[in-house]
Amino acid sequence: IVMRPVGAAVMLPLLLATVFQIIADFFLLPLRALGKFASETWVTAQSNVILFLGVATCLLLDQSAPVVAVAFAASRMISASMSYRVLRGALGPARLTPSLRDGWRGLRTGFPYFVDATLTNASPHLEVLLINALAGALAAGLYQAGTRLTQGTLMLGGVISNVFLTPLSKSVKG
């Protein structure tokens, strides 16, 4: 497979979008642990609205793939920022005394999660680029649309378990 020249201009912003989404998810996890599902839902919903509006605006103004990829990255950067602000509001000011040793230990322990989350989030983008290269833009668009519909319906199980599993497990005595 030969990447077209536009490939790098698309891949870098999509990689950044993936990294920003991982950071946003990282900041949202403590909200779930604190039972602040409404805050997490608000950030997620607002982030998706920003993503939709950003991409739709780019498609209306300039239908080039690099511009849309930059819109993805920018919207995910905003999402990470929103997640951080909501987390700081929920936890209050943090007292950090970072050390090089603690930073290295954190990187070593978190690296498997980083690799897993990066590959999980990057996979749909890479699949679409591969399908586009092999079968063309129409096939890639149909694949992307089908994937999004499937992902939307598959989310329901995770949402239901995240919302109801914690209160249910707290009510069980054992």
Side-chain angles (χ1 to χ4, degrees):
I1 296 171
V2 176
M3 291 292 285
R4 296 182 198 135
V6 77
V10 172
M11 287 303 293
L12 181 59
L14 291 181
L15 177 63
L16 288 173
T18 300
V19 169
F20 285 130
Q21 186 59 47
I22 292 168
I23 292 168
D25 290 343
F26 174 78
F27 289 144
L28 290 177
L29 282 174
L31 295 175
R32 195 176 299 165
L34 294 170
K36 297 185 178 285
F37 301 112
S39 296
E40 179 187 6
T41 303
W42 181 86
V43 170
T44 302
Q46 294 299 315
S47 296
N48 287 329
V49 166
I50 290 169
L51 174 65
F52 175 78
L53 292 175
V55 170
T57 301
C58 287
L59 287 173
L60 288 172
L61 299 176
D62 180 0
Q63 297 181 359
S64 72
V67 171
V68 173
V70 168
F72 261 92
S75 67
R76 293 307 185 196
M77 183 176 69
I78 292 168
S79 173
S81 173
M82 289 171 52
S83 300
Y84 177 76
R85 283 185 308 201
V86 169
L87 177 63
R88 292 289 294 188
L91 295 179
R95 291 188 199 135
L96 297 175
T97 53
S99 72
L100 190 56
R101 177 179 286 172
D102 290 339
W104 181 249
R105 189 178 314 136
L107 285 174
R108 277 188 311 172
T109 346
F111 188 73
Y113 172 74
F114 170 78
V115 170
D116 176 65
T118 300
L119 293 176
T120 299
N121 284 309
S123 176
H125 302 299
L126 297 175
E127 289 171 357
V128 171
L129 289 174
L130 181 63
I131 290 171
N132 185 36
L134 295 175
L138 178 61
L142 290 172
Y143 176 81
Q144 183 72 8
T147 301
R148 294 293 180 203
L149 288 172
T150 303
Q151 286 174 343
T153 56
L154 292 176
M155 258 187 344
L156 292 175
V159 169
I160 290 170
S161 69
N162 284 332
V163 170
F164 294 112
L165 200 56
T166 303
L168 183 63
S169 64
K170 287 180 182 176
S171 70
V172 174
K173 296 179 182 180

